[in-house]
Amino acid sequence: GFLPLQGHIVRNWKVRWFVLLQDKLLYYKIEGGKKEPSPKGRILLDGCTITCPCLEYENRPLLIKLKTKTNTDYFLECCSREERDSWALDITGAIHAGHPVQVQELHRMKNSFKLLENISLHDIVERMCDSSTGIKLTRNLDQGNRYKETFTGSALVDWLISNSFAVSRFEAVTLASMLMDENFIRPVGVRSTEATRSSDPSEKFLDDSTALYMFAESSKKNTSSKEEVHFNISELRGKIVKQGFLVKQGHKRKNWKVRKFVLRADPAFLHYYDPTKEENKPVGGFSLRGCLVSALEDNGVPAGVKGNVQGNLFKIITKNDIHYYIQASSKAERVQWIEAIKPLT
């Protein structure tokens, strides 16, 4: 699949097509909407160590770091935590392919969690508040309201794991729930607040990138006007239904670029982002109301499509008669995207 990769010499980000083999991770360049036949590079997995979650880049919270036995660092970025964890699990399985016991351990989820005796909740909160190594506090939007100094549920889970307070997401959620029960942190916004009403203790804290939390002593809400937000808030307010990397044909130059697509419902919008850029802002998007979406045949190049593309194409026509040509990585993925988009049109 597609993953942004940081370059070794020029520290910019390029999207590559990755193929995981038993002993190596190959990556290919996409040119003109088609994967080049020879790999651009390879990451040898023998003696490799993996760090996930990797929090070295504040603006890129979904990183996997691979360090080869020659001490070369590779940073790969995923588009969702589910995708990141899936890649990390498969890569780790390949690294330990000769050690089946370790592979079995990777796939087993712990069913109980007890806080380490030498660690107190006060110690964890003190570490969380550290200006250099603590959890990053950011401004976030929820239902048109702007909150200062908040963090998301999934960011806290990542931080607890990366700082060795928990070894799995289940443990981290349990620990975060304890912090909330003891009033060290508190929910803000609709999603996290509603979750606290759940009768199931395991569902009171959300491992979710849209659930907001803050330290209890800084729980005052600061609401700003919508005019301060550069992008239309209403478009980005909807629930994320699906997200992933797809190849899109440009409107003017008709070249093909890998973009991160995010499908939202209520309101129904499809936005796309440039995964090589640091800022997490859409570079385009459109309402899905009144749109038509359909698969394009793979035999020959359809009208309106430029370049020698690999197939798996689908087209979205907006109600303003703007045509978007998009390429999935497989027929199955194309079907999944079409089926997700159609009910929202």
Side-chain angles (χ1 to χ4, degrees):
F2 289 113
L3 294 173
L5 169 71
Q6 188 187 60
H8 294 307
I9 302 174
V10 180
R11 293 292 181 178
N12 57 354
W13 294 83
K14 298 290 186 181
V15 180
R16 299 293 184 236
W17 176 260
F18 280 81
V19 177
L20 176 62
L21 303 179
Q22 186 172 355
D23 60 342
K24 64 178 73 73
L25 189 60
L26 305 178
Y27 53 94
Y28 297 78
K29 187 177 180 181
I30 301 293
E31 196 66 48
K34 189 174 183 179
K35 176 175 71 70
E36 291 189 342
S38 300
K40 181 77 174 176
R42 67 194 68 214
I43 304 171
L44 299 179
L45 299 179
D46 180 38
C48 198
T49 59
I50 182 170
T51 303
C52 179
C54 172
L55 307 181
E56 293 191 22
Y57 290 86
E58 182 178 345
N59 294 331
R60 295 181 179 271
L62 300 176
L63 289 179
I64 297 172
K65 177 181 178 180
L66 297 175
K67 181 184 283 289
T68 67
K69 65 180 181 181
T70 58
N71 289 323
T72 302
D73 291 339
Y74 292 87
F75 293 92
L76 317 177
E77 184 179 35
C78 300
C79 67
S80 68
R81 281 171 171 81
E82 293 78 13
E83 184 190 50
R84 180 197 63 187
D85 294 346
S86 177
W87 269 104
L89 185 65
D90 290 339
I91 292 172
T92 308
I95 292 173
H96 299 298
H99 306 279
V101 174
Q102 293 184 22
V103 175
Q104 290 175 10
E105 184 68 22
L106 289 170
H107 289 269
R108 188 172 62 200
M109 176 67 77
K110 294 183 180 293
N111 295 318
S112 62
F113 172 58
K114 182 179 180 181
L115 189 64
L116 295 176
E117 294 182 1
N118 59 335
I119 295 293
S120 69
L121 294 179
H122 287 88
D123 293 334
I124 294 174
V125 173
E126 189 173 325
R127 287 274 298 276
M128 287 174 64
C129 295
D130 188 281
S131 59
S132 58
T133 61
I135 192 165
K136 303 299 181 184
L137 302 179
T138 60
R139 293 174 180 264
N140 281 288
L141 293 171
D142 185 272
Q143 299 293 311
N145 294 328
R146 184 187 292 275
Y147 296 92
K148 289 183 177 180
E149 298 185 330
T150 61
F151 48 87
T152 66
S154 52
L156 178 54
V157 170
D158 286 349
W159 186 89
L160 290 170
I161 295 173
S162 66
N163 284 272
S164 303
F165 290 116
V167 298
S168 69
R169 303 195 80 79
F170 174 81
E171 290 190 1
V173 167
T174 305
L175 182 51
S177 300
M178 295 167 65
L179 291 170
M180 193 164 61
D181 289 341
E182 296 297 323
N183 202 33
F184 288 107
I185 63 174
R186 60 166 292 170
V188 290
V190 176
R191 288 215 66 202
S192 56
T193 303
E194 288 181 349
T196 60
R197 304 188 182 102
S198 172
S199 58
D200 187 345
S202 65
E203 297 177 358
K204 290 183 181 295
F205 180 88
L206 298 178
D207 179 8
D208 192 292
S209 60
T210 62
L212 301 181
Y213 299 87
M214 59 172 36
F215 292 113
E217 64 270 18
S218 60
S219 58
K220 293 183 178 180
K221 180 178 71 175
N222 184 11
T223 305
S224 65
S225 64
K226 295 183 180 180
E227 287 73 23
E228 291 182 18
V229 182
H230 297 296
F231 212 84
N232 192 335
I233 293 176
S234 63
E235 295 184 17
L236 304 175
R237 187 182 295 165
K239 178 183 178 182
I240 295 178
V241 176
K242 187 174 177 61
Q243 55 186 327
F245 295 113
L246 298 167
V247 190
K248 173 185 168 294
Q249 181 176 265
H251 291 312
K252 297 179 180 179
R253 297 178 60 191
K254 302 299 180 184
N255 55 349
W256 292 86
K257 297 287 186 181
V258 177
R259 295 290 181 249
K260 173 187 173 182
F261 279 80
V262 178
L263 176 64
R264 293 180 172 91
D266 194 26
F269 273 83
L270 184 63
H271 293 97
Y272 49 94
Y273 301 70
D274 186 344
T276 66
K277 303 297 183 184
E278 290 293 335
E279 62 273 9
N280 188 31
K281 295 180 180 179
V283 294
F286 51 91
S287 170
L288 291 172
R289 295 302 180 192
C291 285
L292 297 174
V293 57
S294 60
L296 298 178
E297 297 297 331
D298 290 340
N299 50 346
V301 179
V305 174
K306 303 295 183 181
N308 186 22
V309 296
Q310 292 185 159
N312 306 317
L313 289 166
F314 63 98
K315 177 171 68 173
I316 302 176
I317 305 175
T318 70
K319 63 180 180 181
N320 297 325
D321 199 35
I322 299 175
H323 293 226
Y324 289 87
Y325 294 96
I326 302 170
Q327 183 179 182
S329 61
S330 66
K331 287 182 172 62
E333 186 183 47
R334 176 174 64 179
V335 170
Q336 291 169 8
W337 273 99
I338 292 174
E339 289 181 348
I341 292 171
K342 272 186 176 179
L344 303 178
T345 61

